[in-house]
Amino acid sequence: MLELWTRTEGRNAASQCTHLHRLRQLWRDDKKLSKEVRDALYKERMPEVTALSDVPEYDDDAMQRIMVALRHDIRVARDRIRAGQHLLARSRAGQIRSGHPDHELGMLLDVFARTGDLPRTPGGTMVSVVWKLGGSQEITRRLCLSSRELTAFGLLLTALTAENSGTVAAWPAAHYRPDGGVAGVPQIALIEASKPRRGPEREHMVTPVEDVPEELAVLLVADDPEPRLFRSPLRVYQLLLELTQLARRHGGHSSAFAGFRTQTSGAKRWTRGANAKNIARWSVQHGFPTKEPTKDGVEPVEARRLRQTGIERKRRPVAHSRSTMNDHYLARSQDVATQSRVVVADALRSQVAAARKRRSIAVLPAALVAWAASDLGAARDAELDPTVLRRLVSGEQDTVLAGCTDHLNSPGALRANPARNRSWLAWDARTPARCPTNSRCK
């Protein structure tokens, strides 16, 4: 049991450390725990948490290059399988007679859809008509997705949702629609998912997959004939379920990511999910590097960078806490660090400017004072109430900081040049030495 609970495969150092710490807290006061198990639990050293590695986000050009390739693969797969499904429906309805160019293909698709295999000779090889129509791979892909296309779906959903690619690849086909599919209300699907790195008590998750409102999708790309499909996680997920029905039925599983491979035999032909190896193969097939950027600046395709890009742009926790987002995903980004310095610097500058503004006192020039004696419109330029400006000009305003009409004379001025202010009428203005320093300001 201890081996089961302390199993840490697939966890990073920080997750292992947290998991082990929780186990020690859970079993610390358990009197039924044997000495052997307790010793093994507490002799285990906490994994060392190393410095966070920099996982840079993709810039707009790199992201656009990847998204174009992903959307192309999915469009091609959608059009091919829908055409195959339409041909199969016509063949079963008797609309394709003998002698029609598509008659043999329709019959083979019907056999494959019903049995999960193509007709074979007694020796186990494909019948000649299969090779005549392009081989088993050409025929079966008219109804099933390939591993490359499953990878494209996984990467696109990772980019749209910012979820872990491994979690997305394990999504089930079963889901719940709280909106009921009613038009005019926000469309959303709830999918049960599992993320073991979160620990036994938080491993189970319910992931919301939302649709993009029509008006927002049109604003994003106005000239796209399908503005909502490839920008809506919900619509991409629904399309995936539509194109994988046959593979899921013959594969005997409930995974949303279901495909068919002709290179293997038996149950292994009905593949599911996608992993790092599939991503590497997909990258090579589309001209992307697998390790370092090319001389032309083409970046390698990495699922973790797609997730990092989504989190940095959304600034919203995805399958983790806000502290994890701030301290792990955003803290390791050089772009976020640079942006943070700018934000903090601007905030500090604004605070310094506000402090300096509070210390300063407006000085009314002589021309404005002369204008105020005859025109109340001067109060607008002075940003003062007309009554206050009149009292200041006439000398009736007895305020320490805003009542002086002669700020050029200091308390140490000669007696022959007394200050002409009337601050504190009880004081003798003819005695400059007795005038307060603050009364010398306007």
Side-chain angles (χ1 to χ4, degrees), residues 172-337:
H175 60 279
Y176 173 64
R177 292 292 300 273
D179 58 282
V182 179
V185 299
Q187 304 291 300
I188 187 173
L190 302 180
I191 304 173
E192 287 191 277
S194 177
K195 190 176 179 182
R197 288 190 302 170
R198 290 162 56 94
E201 69 278 7
R202 297 193 302 130
E203 177 179 353
H204 178 263
M205 302 185 302
V206 176
T207 303
V209 180
E210 301 173 299
D211 190 11
V212 176
E214 184 176 0
E215 58 275 10
L216 177 58
V218 173
L219 291 176
L220 290 175
V221 182
D223 57 348
D224 192 337
E226 299 173 310
R228 300 182 68 180
L229 175 59
F230 295 108
R231 291 162 184 84
S232 166
L234 176 59
R235 291 176 180 249
V236 174
Y237 176 69
Q238 289 177 323
L239 177 61
L240 174 64
L241 298 184
E242 174 193 340
L243 303 182
T244 55
Q245 293 180 20
L246 188 143
R248 189 161 40 252
R249 174 162 55 88
H250 286 293
H253 58 79
S254 60
S255 174
F257 290 79
F260 182 79
R261 289 186 299 184
T262 58
Q263 292 83 359
T264 57
S265 60
K268 293 183 179 180
R269 294 182 302 171
W270 304 102
T271 182
R272 69 178 78 177
N275 52 36
K277 293 182 179 179
N278 299 125
I279 296 175
R281 294 192 190 100
W282 184 91
S283 300
V284 172
Q285 292 169 348
H286 290 78
F288 289 96
T290 57
K291 293 184 179 180
E292 299 295 332
T294 64
K295 296 180 180 179
D296 299 331
V298 179
E299 298 280 351
V301 179
E302 299 181 48
R304 63 173 186 165
R305 291 186 63 181
L306 290 174
R307 174 171 164 80
Q308 180 75 23
T309 303
I311 292 175
E312 288 190 28
R313 294 185 178 184
K314 293 181 179 181
R315 303 295 172 92
R316 185 178 63 186
V318 180
H320 52 239
S321 63
R322 182 166 293 276
S323 61
T324 300
M325 180 188 70
N326 294 334
D327 300 338
H328 181 74
Y329 290 96
L330 299 184
R332 69 186 181 185
S333 171
Q334 293 297 330
D335 293 337
V336 173

Side-chain angles (χ1 to χ4, degrees), residues 32-240:
K32 296 182 180 180
L33 198 65
S34 66
K35 183 178 183 302
E36 180 184 0
V37 174
R38 187 181 299 276
D39 292 342
L41 180 64
Y42 283 90
K43 286 182 179 179
E44 180 92 15
R45 295 191 61 181
M46 286 286 190
E48 181 179 357
V49 180
T50 58
L52 295 176
S53 60
D54 181 27
V55 180
E57 69 166 336
Y58 289 113
D59 57 25
D60 292 339
D61 293 337
M63 198 67 179
Q64 180 67 13
R65 187 180 297 110
I66 296 172
M67 297 298 280
V68 167
L70 295 174
R71 291 166 184 158
H72 171 267
D73 278 6
I74 294 176
R75 278 195 177 100
V76 170
R78 176 199 61 184
D79 296 342
R80 183 190 70 241
I81 293 180
R82 283 181 175 175
Q85 292 172 343
H86 180 65
L87 176 60
L88 175 60
R90 290 175 56 210
S91 176
R92 287 178 171 178
Q95 299 177 4
I96 303 178
R97 301 297 181 180
S98 178
H100 191 279
D102 293 333
H103 176 70
E104 293 179 336
L105 179 58
M107 297 295 291
L108 291 177
L109 290 179
D110 179 63
V111 172
F112 179 68
R114 287 186 292 105
T115 66
D117 199 2
L118 293 172
R120 297 175 180 270
T121 65
T125 60
M126 298 292 178
V127 296
S128 60
V129 68
V130 173
W131 304 110
K132 174 185 173 183
L133 296 177
S136 60
Q137 181 172 333
E138 178 68 21
I139 297 172
T140 56
R141 286 191 177 179
R142 291 178 179 268
L143 295 178
C144 295
L145 293 174
S146 64
S147 296
R148 183 181 74 176
E149 292 159 349
L150 289 177
T151 302
F153 268 103
L155 291 175
L156 182 58
L157 285 171
T158 298
L160 293 177
T161 63
E163 293 279 353
N164 284 104
S165 61
T167 303
V168 171
W171 276 357
H175 60 279
Y176 173 64
R177 292 292 300 273
D179 58 282
V182 179
V185 299
Q187 304 291 300
I188 187 173
L190 302 180
I191 304 173
E192 287 191 277
S194 177
K195 190 176 179 182
R197 288 190 302 170
R198 290 162 56 94
E201 69 278 7
R202 297 193 302 130
E203 177 179 353
H204 178 263
M205 302 185 302
V206 176
T207 303
V209 180
E210 301 173 299
D211 190 11
V212 176
E214 184 176 0
E215 58 275 10
L216 177 58
V218 173
L219 291 176
L220 290 175
V221 182
D223 57 348
D224 192 337
E226 299 173 310
R228 300 182 68 180
L229 175 59
F230 295 108
R231 291 162 184 84
S232 166
L234 176 59
R235 291 176 180 249
V236 174
Y237 176 69
Q238 289 177 323
L239 177 61
L240 174 64

